[in-house]
Amino acid sequence: MAFADLREELTCSICLSIYTDPVNLSCGHNFCLGCIESVLGTQEGSGVYTCPECRETFNTKPKLQRNITLCNIVRNLHPTQLKKRETGVFCTYCIHSPVPAAKSCLMCEASLCDTHLSVHSKSEEHVLTEPTTSCCNRKCSTHKMLLLYFCTEDAACVCASCSLVGDHRGHQLELLNEASEKKKKKLRDVLQKLTTKREKTEKRVQSLQEHRRGVQEKAAGVTERLTALIRDIRKQLEDLEKRVLSEITRQQEQVLLTISDLIQQLEKEKDELTRKICHIEELCNMTDPLTVLQEQESHRDNFCGAEKGDNEVRQGGDKLVPAGGDLDEGLISVTLYRGLADIVTDIKRGLYMQVTDILLDISTADNNVILSGDLKTASYTDIDQQRPDTPERFTTYSQVLSTRSFSSGRHYWDMKTSNAGHWWVGVCYPSMKRTGRKSGIGDNDKSWCVDSDCALLHNTIETSFDPPLSCDRVGILLDYEAGRLSFYELCDPIRHLHTYTATFTKPLHAAFCLQDAWVRILC
C-alpha cells in the first residue's frame, strides 16, 4: 500500500501528524503518547476521562498500551516520506493524493516524489535541491535563469547573463557554493562569539538567580529573627505594664486602707465629741445654779479631754496619712524606668549590631574645638583653647577622634548635627596625619566620611548624593570583618546614603571635623 493511502491511518487525531511513540486506549483508538497524556492530564479532577476520538468514558485514568505494530510501521517508513512533517512540501504531479516531495527541480519549478524523481530529467540544467515551494526565488528576475554566482561587489546572487551582459558585468564573481562557504565561515565566527557571550550571560543569570535566592533566604531569616525579637519585646512590655499597674493598685489599696482606718477613727471621735457637746448644751440650758456648779469639774475634764483628743487626732492624722495624701509616683517611675532599661538591654543583645557608647578624646582635639563635660558634644570656636601640643593632637583642621577604637564586630552610633556651618563625620585609622593638607578626614586613604554638603569623601575622591540631607540626624554602621562602612540619614523613613567597602587592616576611630558647626553623639 502506498504511503499516501496509509497516511490517514498513521496520523494522530490530536496533533494531526504522523504518530510519535503511538499508544492505544481500551476502546482501540491510537494517539501519540505525549498527546493523549496531555489530554488526560486536563481531565484530572473532573472524575471522568474520555477518549478524544469516540468519547467513550472511563471512571479511572485509562492505562496506555504501546502499539508495537504502529511503532514498527512508523520506524520503517522511508526517510523522505517523513520529511513532510518538517517541510510540508508535496509532489507537484501527484494530484489525486498528497505525497511528500523528495526533491525540487529549480529548472522545472516543481517538486517531485520518489516515483516522479526516478523518471525526471538527469540533465545538468535541471538542478535538484531539497524540497521547497520557492523555486522562483532561485532564478534571476531579469533573465529568468538560475542564480549561479555571487557578486562580491554588490553582494547579490546573479545568473550567467547578469555576469556577461547585465549590470554585474566585469564584477568579481564567486560560485554560490564558494561564497556560501565563506559566509558560513564568517557566520561560524560570529556564532562562536555569540555562543561565548550567551554562556557568559547564562552564567551571570545563574549567579543573579543564586544571589536572588540568597537575598530571599536572608530576608526570610532576618524577618523571622526580628519578628521573634519584636514579639519578645511586646511580651516584655506587657509584663512590665502588669507590674507597673499592679504597683499602682497596691499603693492605691494601701493608701485607701490607711485613709479608711483614719476616717473610721475620726468618726468615733466625732460621735464622742457630739455626746459631750450635747451634755454641755444641757448644762447651759439648766436654770438651777447648784446643778450647773456641781457639774463644773466634770465640764472642765470634758473640755480638756476634747482639746487633748483633738490634738491626738491632728497628730495622728499627720502620722497616718502619707505626705500629700497621694500615690508614691517616684516608686512607680523607678519601676517603669528599670523595666524599660532591662528591655532595651535585651534588645541590644538581639540586634545585628552593637550600639556603641562613644566618648570624645580631648587629647586629639584641635585647639579650636570645645568638648562638653560629658565628652559627647564637639563645637567649633574661634578662641584658641591653648591645649598642650602633643603628637596625638590635630593642628591643621578642627578635628577630634573618639577615645575607643574598633578592630572587630559590628558597631553603630548616631549623631545630631548643627544646621549652620560645615561638618564632616566618619572614621579613620589612628595613623592618619595630625597636621598638613592631608590630615583632614576624607583627604587621605586612611579615612572615610560624609559631610554637610551632601558629599562622601575618601582619599580626596568625592562622591555626591542626591537629594540633599533633610534632617539633622546621621547614623554610621561599621561592620569591621565584612569591610563595610555605611552612612544613613535618620529621617522618616531612614535613607541609606552610601556604603564603602574596604579591607580594614587597623583599628578604626570615630572622627569629627567642624567649621562653625557642632556635632553631638547621641549613643
Side-chain angles (χ1 to χ4, degrees):
M1 182 180 292
F3 175 76
D5 298 329
L6 283 173
R7 179 170 182 78
E8 184 176 352
E9 298 297 328
L10 299 176
T11 300
C12 172
S13 62
I14 297 176
C15 66
L16 303 179
S17 299
I18 301 298
Y19 289 123
T20 300
D21 198 9
V23 296
N24 57 33
L25 300 177
S26 58
C27 59
H29 291 105
N30 299 292
F31 307 94
C32 299
L33 176 62
C35 295
I36 189 61
E37 283 186 338
S38 177
V39 171
L40 296 177
T42 61
Q43 297 175 351
E44 289 184 358
S46 64
V48 178
Y49 298 87
T50 60
C51 171
E53 188 75 22
C54 66
R55 301 301 176 186
E56 181 176 340
T57 60
F58 307 93
N59 294 328
T60 59
K61 188 174 182 178
K63 295 183 179 180
L64 304 176
Q65 300 293 331
R66 184 181 296 276
N67 192 321
I68 304 300
T69 301
L70 282 181
C71 286
N72 292 334
I73 292 174
V74 172
R75 188 181 303 114
N76 293 324
L77 285 176
H78 193 278
T80 58
Q81 295 172 330
L82 295 178
K83 285 184 181 179
K84 183 272 162 185
R85 298 177 63 183
E86 300 176 1
T87 65
V89 180
F90 298 97
C91 178
T92 305
Y93 303 107
C94 294
I95 60 176
H96 296 294
S97 60
V99 177
K103 294 288 183 179
S104 292
C105 176
L106 300 182
M107 176 62 72
C108 302
E109 297 186 8
S111 298
L112 305 98
C113 65
D114 288 328
T115 302
H116 289 94
L117 183 62
S118 62
V119 298
H120 187 70
S121 173
K122 301 299 188 292
S123 172
E124 293 183 358
E125 297 178 353
H126 292 266
V127 179
L128 298 177
T129 66
E130 295 301 317
T132 178
T133 58
S134 58
C135 294
C136 59
N137 293 337
R138 295 175 177 269
K139 287 186 177 183
C140 175
S141 60
T142 303
H143 304 102
K144 306 304 179 184
M145 297 177 64
L146 290 178
L147 301 174
L148 300 176
Y149 305 102
F150 180 75
C151 175
T152 59
E153 296 183 23
D154 298 328
C157 296
V158 299
C159 67
S161 295
C162 290
S163 65
L164 296 175
V165 297
D167 295 337
H168 302 276
R169 182 176 58 183
H171 290 185
Q172 182 68 35
L173 300 178
E174 294 178 349
L175 292 174
L176 290 182
N177 287 340
E178 294 176 357
S180 175
E181 288 303 320
K182 289 182 179 179
K183 185 172 183 178
K184 286 181 180 179
K185 185 177 183 303
K186 293 180 180 179
L187 290 174
R188 290 189 189 98
D189 293 340
V190 174
L191 180 62
Q192 180 62 38
K193 294 178 181 179
L194 293 177
T195 302
T196 302
K197 187 174 182 180
R198 184 181 66 179
E199 290 175 354
K200 292 181 179 179
T201 303
E202 288 177 348
K203 289 181 180 179
R204 188 180 179 192
V205 169
Q206 291 176 357
S207 176
L208 289 174
Q209 289 174 339
E210 291 175 0
H211 182 65
R212 179 174 63 184
R213 287 193 294 270
V215 170
Q216 291 172 337
E217 292 173 359
K218 185 175 181 180
V222 172
T223 299
E224 182 179 358
R225 181 171 62 86
L226 292 184
T227 300
L229 177 62
I230 293 173
R231 185 167 53 247
D232 183 59
I233 293 172
R234 189 180 295 114
K235 177 65 168 56
Q236 292 185 63
L237 286 173
E238 291 173 352
D239 292 342
L240 176 60
E241 180 186 18
K242 291 178 181 178
R243 290 203 307 273
V244 173
L245 295 180
S246 176
E247 175 62 23
I248 295 173
T249 301
R250 185 192 68 79
Q251 289 191 27
Q252 173 184 273
E253 291 175 350
Q254 182 178 354
V255 172
L256 293 181
L257 179 61
T258 301
I259 294 175
S260 297
D261 291 343
L262 182 57
I263 290 175
Q264 186 175 4
Q265 177 184 342
L266 293 175
E267 289 289 347
K268 291 181 180 179
E269 293 178 359
K270 187 184 74 170
D271 292 341
E272 179 63 21
L273 291 172
T274 300
R275 185 188 64 77
K276 292 179 179 181
I277 289 172
C278 291
H279 179 67
I280 293 173
E281 287 177 345
E282 290 177 358
L283 291 176
C284 292
N285 293 327
M286 286 183 180
T287 57
D288 183 8
L290 182 61
T291 302
V292 173
L293 293 175
Q294 287 177 343
E295 289 290 337
Q296 184 175 4
E297 294 299 327
S298 175
H299 164 67
R300 183 180 297 111
D301 293 340
N302 288 341
F303 177 77
C304 293
E307 184 176 5
K308 180 180 179 181
D310 181 60
N311 291 333
E312 289 178 352
V313 169
R314 178 171 49 79
Q315 294 173 359
D318 292 342
K319 182 178 180 181
L320 292 175
V321 178
D326 207 344
L327 304 179
D328 186 354
E329 294 190 32
L331 178 59
I332 296 171
S333 298
V334 170
T335 302
L336 178 61
Y337 172 79
R338 287 309 315 158
L340 291 174
D342 292 340
I343 293 174
V344 170
T345 301
D346 291 341
I347 292 173
K348 289 181 178 180
R349 293 195 192 102
L351 288 178
Y352 162 83
M353 70 237 176
Q354 177 182 351
V355 180
T356 306
D357 184 23
I358 291 181
L359 299 177
L360 299 173
D361 186 0
I362 194 170
S363 68
T364 66
D366 177 75
N367 281 324
N368 291 112
V369 175
I370 298 177
L371 302 185
S372 61
D374 61 358
L375 299 178
K376 288 285 190 177
T377 301
S379 305
Y380 176 83
T381 178
D382 291 327
I383 302 174
D384 193 322
Q385 300 301 298
Q386 298 183 353
R387 299 187 180 103
D389 187 9
T390 61
E392 295 83 12
R393 191 173 308 285
F394 290 102
T395 59
T396 302
Y397 297 101
S398 305
Q399 299 182 147
V400 62
L401 302 184
S402 62
T403 55
R404 67 169 298 176
S405 62
F406 314 102
S407 57
S408 64
R410 305 182 184 95
H411 303 273
Y412 172 81
W413 61 97
D414 60 46
M415 298 142 285
K416 185 177 179 63
T417 61
S418 62
N419 294 321
H422 200 148
W423 50 260
W424 298 256
V425 294
V427 298
C428 72
Y429 291 140
S431 58
M432 187 177 76
K433 292 182 178 181
R434 304 306 165 100
T435 184
R437 187 173 60 86
K438 293 289 186 179
S439 63
I441 58 173
D443 291 333
N444 48 70
D445 61 357
K446 296 179 173 60
S447 57
W448 299 257
C449 71
V450 62
D451 70 7
S452 53
D453 283 344
C454 310
L456 298 128
L457 193 62
H458 170 64
N459 201 19
T460 71
I461 299 175
E462 185 175 289
T463 304
S464 298
F465 57 84
D466 189 66
L469 297 175
S470 60
C471 67
D472 57 1
R473 294 281 297 276
V474 176
I476 297 179
L477 174 61
L478 170 65
D479 190 338
Y480 192 93
E481 283 81 4
R484 294 171 62 86
L485 177 67
S486 300
F487 295 91
Y488 301 91
E489 181 188 15
L490 305 182
C491 51
D492 188 13
I494 295 174
R495 177 166 68 122
H496 173 239
L497 300 177
H498 186 73
T499 294
Y500 283 110
T501 55
T503 301
F504 299 125
T505 58
K506 300 175 183 177
L508 289 167
H509 287 260
F512 309 85
C513 183
L514 309 165
Q515 183 64 46
D516 298 323
W518 56 264
V519 172
R520 177 163 181 80
I521 303 168
L522 299 180
C523 62

